[in-house]
Amino acid sequence: MIRAPEARDLFEHGPVLVAHASMTAKRLGLHAPGRSPGLFDALELFAFTRPARFCAPSAAGMALALGLPEPKGAAAQAGALLETCRLLLAELAASPEPSREEALAVAETLARAGWAWGPAVVAALRSAPVGNQFRTSGLDVWSRIAEWEDSAPPGEATSKPFTPEQSSARLAELLQRAGLDEARPAQSEFAAEAAFAFQPREREGEPRMMLAEAGTGIGKTLGYLAPASLWAEANGPAVWVSTYTRALQRQIERESHAIYPDPKVRAKKAVVRKGRENYLCLLNFQDVANTAQMGGADLIGMGLAARWARATRDGDMTGGDFPAWLPTLFAVPPAAQASAANLVDRRGECIHAGCSHYRTCFVEKAIRGSRKADLVIANHALVLTQAAFDGARAARGSKGDEETTQLKRIVFDEGHHLFDAADAAFSAALSGAESAEMRRWIRGPEGRGRRGRGLEARLMDMLGDREDARRALTDTLNAAAALPGEGWSGRIAPPNGEVNPIGPIESFLVAMIEQLRARSAASEIGMECAARPALDLVRVTARDAAVALAKIEAPLLALARCLEDLLDDEAAQIVTSDRGRIEGALRGLDRRCRMTLPAWRSMLQAIDENSEDDPDFVDWFDATFLYGRVVDAACRRHWVDPTEPLTNAVIAPAHGVLVTSATLSDSALDDPFALAEMRTGAARLPDRPKTLKLASPFDYAANSRAYVVTDVGRDDPRQVAAAMRELFLAAGGGGVGLFTAIRRLRAVHERIAAPLADKGLALYAQHVDPLEVGALVDIFRAEQDSCLLGTDAVRDGVDVPGRSLRLLVFDRVPWPRPDILHKARRVRFGGKTYDDSVARNRISQAFGRLIRRADDKGVFVMLDASSPSRLFTGLPEGVRVDRLGLVETIEAITEFLGTPES
């Protein structure tokens, strides 16, 4: 062991071997480092040697990925790091992927760029005979990716029924294939009852809807995959399985192995689908790779991303097999990183069939795969936003997307999040960032030297000599100059307070901030206030902004009509690829000129007229803070009850809908499923849904404990930090601390990180460590005795069976934040009872993370003496909540879990 000053000196001057350079720097109190010849990050070597293969980004994570035992303690981790690198270099020498020649081409490019690992990797690859096939940098991966193949449309799904007994039999078959022969009667009951949602519906607009709560350990995934696969085989395509989190999408795809054991068959039959903003765009990759070779981007990062692109299963960069930690290892400017932010199409700039990489496009592969698949494993955001968009197009007589016309049979897993997903999908926001993005989509990057394609670049060659279309495009480009341009944030809220708005939208944003400052108190995250009654300045600027938006909307509509006429007038001459390109452009135009812009103008009109509040909507202003100052402002409109558009766009048109979760019902209500019916849209259907509640088979009385600590002041960060520190030490690690405010999380982390480290317990924290939540959870899962601090995203994203998670501590009751939107919903959905239900569900969800297997043991602790007992009625049967002092709680935890040494 060495002292911190010596460690800092070694880190800064090297040579030194680390796992995650920027996180190591943060632990040492240093700034994130740039790459240097003496700083070797083992994670980069792993990314090169094993592209698109998982490892948690830590020394222990890499060791486990290579089949080594988990190293515990600093000395063991240091030794494991050396052994990991030795094994990776040996693996490269023996069997590089996808070929020795291709790997060498990339390695030599990175070595010339000064990659610390370059010489060692090149030497390993040249340790065996190697040809000279590659005469390029190796970064041109787009030329070596297999093309997709199109096929005839599969046609409409049919409605052949099957019996509950057949569903149970299919489950038994799947369990046998998966090597799971344990008898779980509740799982068989779930499969049999879930068959209800797959029977033929009897009337239009009245789907067979079922709400099914299945406690942890029931095995609900295979429980619904059994009837889903039966239905798809007889009637498909396709059953859509929708989740809230990316992690569950991949988990369901893995569990479909029982249905399709052959990986090649499974790749066709069970397709993971996300929005196009999740997939690698090869045109973006080519542009950034070319820029990197001229010194304008991170060449080493691009080389490692190129290795991944050749090995990836489906090009998914967010939650797929791309190592999200890769761009975070060293101090690389965001615009230069080989990251999802720069390599996916987030801006709707896709030119579809006009792209030179169209035939190898990952998005097009995924779309075509989902059209033919039996199971489409999607997420709530994609399903709901696509349904909203296609519903709006269908209402105008336009063609919907082929994918979402398949939404006949839907399983919503993580169904307790369906309300929140609908809230996001069917809302509108006019903000500085959103309007600036609209300008960029129309006008392109406007000379900033960054890659981008405006409407002119994407459409002009398709318009030919159509003067009306060219005029509409020119008018759109000119009108879009009224939207916020480069540097807008610094003009609407500069640090010195001297605002300088340019154009009507920026002037409206400045006026909104004035109203916010006059009528709201600032919190750590921002300000908010009701939109009406509006200040006179807000009304005047809202009117001017609405006029400016109308001048953009009119030529955009004209341009869309010109493209629709082109498809009609030249139907016999347009080749398939050009038709696809025009239809793709029309979808982008439709989304903005027939949905986004009208929604913005409607909000502005209501503000200008100071009209009465619409009881179905909530309009408000908010401002976002960063480092204590305003960085953006927004005018927002949300449905009070988003299940109205959810039902109209998704639920009612379907034939069968199964909504399932471990926490759907609320036992404190007279009708346990009443709130779930309201929050899923089921209450809007003519008939009540079928309901099912299956309790977890785990012995919670024996394997879990729950405590409310009665003598810790929840408002004193020192007391909360001390309590959390001692609780983590009592459990010997394996603890998660959950916070309802980022400020309190950071304050606790600052106080307990060093004391825990002194006792050999690593502490990771969301909003502190330079890693996204998923990577932090991966490390926590891999390191059995580490601890983790986080907020809602951690509560929803932690799935850690085994001893790695054995203690869960809330800093206080997770009441819903009483913002303007929530207060409107509280009035609509039952007042205090609604607040209780939300908090009770959050507590139940968190508790459910503790016990994931029959042999798990876990402790739940609430550091809030004022916690009402009624909030714990949703915990599993057999769980008793004891109210004890901190000392007694620590003693009870030590006795229950055993001392850390044991």
Side-chain angles (χ1 to χ4, degrees), residues 131-183:
N132 193 25
Q133 174 186 350
F134 281 83
R135 299 185 181 277
T136 69
S137 66
L139 269 62
D140 55 339
V141 292
W142 52 85
S143 64
R144 297 186 295 281
I145 292 176
E147 295 186 349
W148 49 261
E149 295 181 359
D150 217 341
S151 60
E156 286 288 319
T158 56
S159 300
K160 296 177 184 175
F162 56 87
T163 65
E165 291 75 20
Q166 287 174 300
S167 184
S168 295
R170 169 57 62 90
L171 173 65
E173 179 186 338
L174 298 183
L175 290 171
Q176 186 176 20
R177 286 185 197 167
L180 302 171
D181 53 3
E182 74 267 28

Side-chain angles (χ1 to χ4, degrees), residues 205 426 642-654 678 680-685:
F426 298 103
T643 65
E644 181 173 337
L646 167 67
T647 303
N648 294 336
V650 182
I651 305 296
M678 285 193 293
T680 59
R684 295 182 175 275
L685 298 176

Side-chain angles (χ1 to χ4, degrees), residues 43 87 216 218 313 485 494 498 550 584 602 620 638 651 723 725 750:
L43 284 164
L87 290 173
T216 307
I218 293 294
R313 174 177 45 229
E498 296 179 5
S602 176
W620 78 97
H638 283 236
I651 305 296
R725 179 193 68 221
E750 184 179 348

Side-chain angles (χ1 to χ4, degrees), residues 344-408:
V344 304
D345 175 25
R346 292 192 186 280
R347 308 182 188 280
E349 295 176 337
C350 182
I351 54 177
H352 302 276
C355 177
S356 56
H357 306 303
Y358 183 67
R359 296 288 303 174
T360 53
C361 175
F362 288 112
V363 177
E364 295 296 331
K365 284 181 183 177
I367 290 173
R368 279 158 179 75
S370 68
R371 289 172 181 168
K372 298 178 288 185
D374 281 0
L375 299 174
V376 180
I377 305 165
N379 54 66
H380 298 350
L382 173 69
V383 170
L384 301 187
T385 54
Q386 269 306 124
F389 175 56
D390 286 342
R393 296 197 86 199
R396 296 189 302 273
S398 300
K399 179 183 177 182
D401 191 294
E402 269 188 63
E403 278 189 293
T404 48
T405 57
Q406 297 178 351
L407 287 172
K408 306 298 185 193

Side-chain angles (χ1 to χ4, degrees), residues 374-451:
D374 281 0
L375 299 174
V376 180
I377 305 165
N379 54 66
H380 298 350
L382 173 69
V383 170
L384 301 187
T385 54
Q386 269 306 124
F389 175 56
D390 286 342
R393 296 197 86 199
R396 296 189 302 273
S398 300
K399 179 183 177 182
D401 191 294
E402 269 188 63
E403 278 189 293
T404 48
T405 57
Q406 297 178 351
L407 287 172
K408 306 298 185 193
R409 306 285 172 173
I410 315 171
V411 177
F412 286 111
D413 203 338
E414 298 180 298
H416 59 285
H417 283 301
L418 189 54
F419 184 92
D420 296 327
D423 184 37
F426 298 103
S427 61
L430 170 55
S431 68
E434 291 288 334
S435 52
E437 192 60 57
M438 176 76 79
R439 175 175 175 141
R440 180 185 170 92
W441 179 80
I442 293 172
R443 293 172 63 97
E446 300 191 271
R448 283 181 286 168
R450 296 176 62 187
R451 188 210 60 78

Side-chain angles (χ1 to χ4, degrees), residues 670-691:
D670 293 337
D671 180 349
F673 281 95
L675 187 61
E677 289 183 32
M678 285 193 293
R679 289 175 62 88
T680 59
R684 295 182 175 275
L685 298 176
D687 297 323
R688 290 201 66 181
K690 179 182 178 70
T691 58

